[in-house]
């Protein structure tokens, strides 16, 4: 797996674990939402500044985005689409 794919895999995994949409993550990292999608797909070559901003928004060290997933690990599932129900 190449480094861009590893970053994308980890970014999606961490984002979904935290229940964040691409839009919310992008706002927190002060980057464009479509850019987050391209990073997750492995089609963007991110700078160290962007990597740091994404890691900070996720509350993890930047190195966590560079860790190769274990062999046989399943691709992280996307969040379900649509709005979350309002809490009573």
């Amino acid at each position: 797996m190449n480094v861009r794919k590893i970053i994308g895999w980890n970014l999606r995994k961490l984002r979904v674990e935290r229940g964040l949409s691409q839009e919310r993550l992008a706002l927190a990292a002060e980057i464009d939402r479509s850019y987050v999608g391209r990073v997750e797909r492995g089609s963007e070559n991110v700078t160290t500044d962007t990597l740091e901003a994404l890691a900070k928004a996720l509350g993890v060290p930047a190195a966590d985005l560079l860790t190769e997933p274990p062999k046989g690990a399943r691709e992280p599932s996307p969040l379900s689409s649509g709005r979350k129900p309002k809490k009573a």
Side-chain angles (χ1 to χ4, degrees):
M1 186 178 283
N2 72 39
V3 175
R4 287 188 310 211
K5 292 284 186 184
I6 291 169
I7 291 169
W9 193 96
N10 286 316
L11 182 62
R12 176 179 265 185
K13 177 181 170 286
L14 292 165
R15 179 180 62 77
V16 170
E17 284 175 358
R18 285 154 180 74
L20 293 172
S21 66
Q22 287 181 348
E23 186 172 8
R24 292 245 185 241
L25 177 58
L27 286 170
E30 297 180 350
I31 59 176
D32 187 68
R33 188 221 43 90
S34 62
Y35 186 79
V36 172
R38 292 192 306 270
V39 172
E40 286 188 0
R41 290 189 300 278
S43 61
E44 282 290 339
N45 191 17
V46 299
T47 65
T48 54
D49 289 341
T50 301
L51 197 66
E52 182 178 36
L54 289 166
K56 187 175 181 180
L58 290 165
V60 298
D64 285 6
L65 294 172
L66 297 168
T67 304
E68 190 163 358
K71 296 275 188 215
R74 295 173 57 191
E75 181 105 8
S77 301
L79 285 177
S80 56
S81 61
R83 293 179 181 243
K84 292 181 181 176
K86 291 186 177 182
K87 294 179 181 177

